Amino acid sequence: MSARPPRPPALRPLLAAAILLLGLGAIAASRIASADGTADYPAASLSTPTDQAALIARGKYLTTAADCMPCHTGPGRAPFSGGLVMQTPFGGLSTPNITPDKATGIGDWTDKQFYAALHDGVAPGREFLVFPKYLYPAMPYTSYTKLSYQDVMAIKAYLDSLPPVDAPRIPNSLKFPFNQRPVLLGWRMLFFKSGPMKMNPSWDEQMRNGAYLTEALGHCGECHTPRNIMQASIASKALAGGAIDNLYAPNISSDKTYGVGGWSKADLVAYLHDDGNMVKGSPYGAMGDMTDHSTSQLPVSDIEDMADYLQHGTKPQITPPGPAIADADASIARGQKLYASNCAACHGATGRGLPHFVPNLAGNDSITAQQPYNVIGAVLAGLDSWAHPGPKMPAFGAKLSDQEIADISNYVRTAWGNKGSADTTPAQVMRLRAVGDLPPIAGQAADKLGCPRISPAGGPTTVADPGKGLLDIYQGATAATLPNRTRELITAMRAKNSAISNADLTNTLVAAYCPVLANKPGMSLADKKSALKDFIAAAQKLIATP
């Protein structure tokens, strides 16, 4: 029998840290509130149906209100079986299977373990033998901690009634040290306090229900509250608005100028329940997913309660847009021309849109929010259709430059009586190219390398897209196959247009290869620019060859 290998010295600091963090955990425990204090919650949240079918029905309603399914359903996956990879500033985080499968889901979880996950953000199991398995706060237990015990058990009853799905979890791709769950102890000590929400004693049952739906189940603050550098919500700025991916969740506090306090109740209910209207626009992006799968499925009375709470029960947050850029007038003038040629055909010359198909931009508060990200993100990546079926908004990230998109944003935010600011800069557009789900030609790497812009017919500042996927010909190319790919593209372009000039042919080759080169890992920008020059020189020789 071989002797047990000595413990690696590298583990000793880890064990020391474990002892220290366990001590700190005792301090953290003093910050954890109990589940008491829910006596003033809405009556329905404090009762447990005695009939199993009624309990499951209550759980289904709560699960819908909490919008669990979209996050726990990845591409091609069965509902609730996980597999959605969320990109965070710290790396990729996949959502788990929450069907009752015993091997890969939550089928073996006890009631106590399930409650601990939602209320305290702790899953069954241990890390490094001694640490609790802290959940990453991308799972909004920071809001779900406000749920009553009865409702958490109803949610579990519903999830337990679903068909079990064998769906192992996709591994996370978080960066060190964030891939070590014990690190979360410090975050929890600083930013998390479990326990019920405080209801205003003067609120009636409807207002309490609206508060419970908004703060606990709907976890609206998770998107609509700005976050600090450690991605914790800033409590003093609750519902003041926050960045989410390449968009911006606007201020939904009771402020009458910058929030939803000045909206009519009917418009707010329509936005949350009926997919919006031609007064305040329509929900889109993550908000569109939420209304499609959650609030539109709830009784209108619940949405009216939420509207009352948002408009009268929340702290007003004053969030004016930033100051206009130095050359705002010139940017707005350019943006007006660009809007006319790229946007007006659908949104209208006066920004009024097309009822039931294209939302209005005039009077749309998401357009005039504190940050201009909604205009930038929509222009860069496009948007899903408002009507189903209906036309999608096309993406312009590959066609328009950073300056052009900034100009459109500055025009739209200030036109037709909109009270936004002409504060958008090309630097903001470039930064959001790294965040949105964009094709390589429209991404930040291609932008930095100066890759050509692409449009269907080409123009003074763009290269024509030849179609048939020809611009993707260099995907997966190696140094050995690159010349043959270039010959194939030259042949295809000449077959398509026998009169094509060498200059236009070169531009098409560069438009195809540049984004592939731009996204190669391990190369500096200077190296990429040098490689692009070498590619152009080699391409000229191939173009000149009969």
Side-chain angles (χ1 to χ4, degrees):
M1 179 181 294
S2 60
R4 177 181 297 171
R7 180 181 290 116
L11 288 181
R12 292 169 186 163
L14 180 62
L15 292 174
I19 294 171
L20 173 63
L21 289 175
L22 282 174
L24 293 174
I27 301 173
S30 67
R31 293 177 54 88
I32 303 298
S34 70
D36 296 333
T38 61
D40 54 357
Y41 269 30
S45 69
L46 300 178
S47 62
T48 302
T50 55
D51 178 72
Q52 184 67 13
L55 180 64
I56 291 172
R58 171 71 179 173
K60 181 179 181 180
Y61 159 81
L62 295 167
T63 304
T64 300
D67 203 26
C68 302
M69 188 275 290
C71 283
H72 286 278
T73 307
R77 293 281 197 116
F80 297 101
S81 66
L84 181 69
V85 178
M86 297 183 286
Q87 296 303 323
T88 77
F90 312 112
L93 187 64
S94 70
T95 57
N97 179 355
I98 56 172
T99 73
D101 184 71
K102 292 183 179 296
T104 64
I106 60 172
D108 275 339
W109 287 26
T110 65
D111 289 354
K112 182 178 180 180
Q113 289 171 331
F114 187 79
Y115 182 75
L118 268 67
H119 187 265
D120 299 321
V122 178
R126 291 280 176 178
E127 293 286 318
F128 299 110
L129 301 180
V130 292
F131 293 101
K133 191 174 181 180
Y134 299 125
L135 293 175
Y136 289 99
M139 189 278 200
Y141 62 83
T142 46
S143 292
Y144 292 161
T145 188
K146 300 168 186 173
L147 293 172
S148 68
Y149 178 83
Q150 293 90 332
D151 277 352
V152 172
M153 291 300 99
I155 291 172
K156 185 174 187 295
Y158 171 66
L159 294 177
D160 285 347
S161 75
L162 298 174
V165 179
D166 182 6
R169 186 169 187 172
I170 296 173
N172 294 331
S173 55
L174 294 167
K175 305 169 188 174
F176 181 84
F178 306 106
N179 59 351
Q180 306 299 314
R181 290 180 187 267
V183 172
L184 291 170
L185 177 56
W187 188 94
R188 293 164 62 91
M189 291 175 62
L190 292 170
F191 304 119
F192 175 57
K193 184 177 181 180
S194 68
M197 65 181 296
K198 295 181 179 180
M199 300 283 181
N200 188 318
S202 68
W203 289 346
D204 60 18
E205 180 71 6
Q206 286 69 40
M207 182 71 86
R208 294 180 187 187
N209 184 51
Y212 187 69
L213 286 165
T214 301
E215 302 286 356
L217 280 165
H219 58 279
C220 302
E222 301 290 341
C223 289
H224 288 273
T225 297
R227 295 179 179 270
N228 61 25
I229 193 172
M230 292 302 295
Q231 295 300 296
S233 297
I234 302 173
S236 63
K237 298 181 179 180
L239 305 181
I244 175 169
D245 299 326
N246 64 337
L247 298 174
Y248 190 80
N251 183 339
I252 57 169
S253 76
S254 62
D255 187 80
K256 294 184 181 298
T257 301
Y258 303 108
V260 296
W263 290 33
S264 73
K265 182 177 179 179
D267 285 339
L268 187 51
V269 170
Y271 193 92
L272 294 172
H273 191 269
D274 302 323
D275 212 19
N277 58 25
M278 297 302 293
V279 180
K280 289 297 184 180
S282 65
Y284 54 91
M287 187 69 186
D289 290 340
M290 190 281 296
T291 56
D292 284 348
H293 297 289
S294 181
T295 53
S296 67
Q297 307 300 311
L298 302 182
V300 174
S301 59
D302 278 344
I303 309 306
E304 291 173 341
D305 292 347
M306 292 178 70
D308 282 336
Y309 172 71
L310 288 170
Q311 294 187 303
H312 306 290
T314 62
K315 175 185 174 182
Q317 299 284 1
I318 301 173
T319 56
I325 59 175
D327 61 341
D329 290 342
S331 177
I332 290 170
R334 293 192 301 266
Q336 184 175 16
K337 293 179 180 178
L338 288 163
Y339 177 88
S341 59
N342 292 279
C343 316
C346 293
H347 289 283
T350 59
R352 296 298 173 185
L354 184 63
H356 309 299
F357 289 98
V358 181
N360 57 298
L361 303 180
N364 190 321
D365 285 9
S366 76
I367 300 298
T368 59
Q370 184 180 29
Q371 298 292 344
Y373 304 159
N374 288 329
V375 181
I376 299 173
V379 174
L380 278 174
L383 293 173
D384 284 336
S385 59
W386 182 14
H388 303 288
K392 294 184 177 182
M393 176 179 170
F396 292 87
K399 176 183 178 182
L400 299 176
S401 69
D402 297 340
Q403 183 65 66
E404 290 172 324
I405 294 174
D407 291 341
I408 290 175
S409 175
N410 288 331
Y411 172 67
V412 168
R413 281 168 61 78
T414 57
W416 319 301
N418 282 349
K419 300 185 184 302
S421 173
D423 55 355
T424 315
T425 66
Q428 289 175 308
V429 180
M430 176 179 277
R431 185 173 64 80
L432 289 185
R433 286 183 184 274
V435 180
D437 184 16
L438 301 174
I441 185 60
Q444 188 186 77
D447 200 44
K448 288 184 175 180
L449 188 54
C451 295
R453 298 293 165 208
I454 306 295
S455 66
T461 61
T462 61
V463 175
D465 184 349
K468 297 184 178 180
L470 290 175
L471 290 182
D472 298 326
I473 196 168
Y474 291 113
Q475 296 294 331
T478 65
T481 62
L482 189 62
N484 283 338
R485 301 281 183 96
T486 301
R487 292 187 186 97
E488 289 177 29
L489 184 52
I490 292 171
T491 301
M493 291 303 298
R494 284 177 169 159
K496 183 180 179 68
N497 178 11
S498 61
I500 188 170
S501 68
N502 287 353
D504 286 344
L505 190 50
T506 300
N507 288 338
T508 303
L509 295 174
V510 173
Y513 181 64
C514 187
V516 175
L517 176 62
N519 287 277
K520 278 191 175 182
M523 293 180 69
S524 68
L525 182 59
D527 289 341
K528 291 175 182 177
K529 288 182 177 179
S530 178
L532 187 58
K533 288 181 180 179
D534 292 342
F535 170 81
I536 294 173
Q540 296 304 305
K541 295 179 181 178
L542 294 176
I543 290 172
T545 302

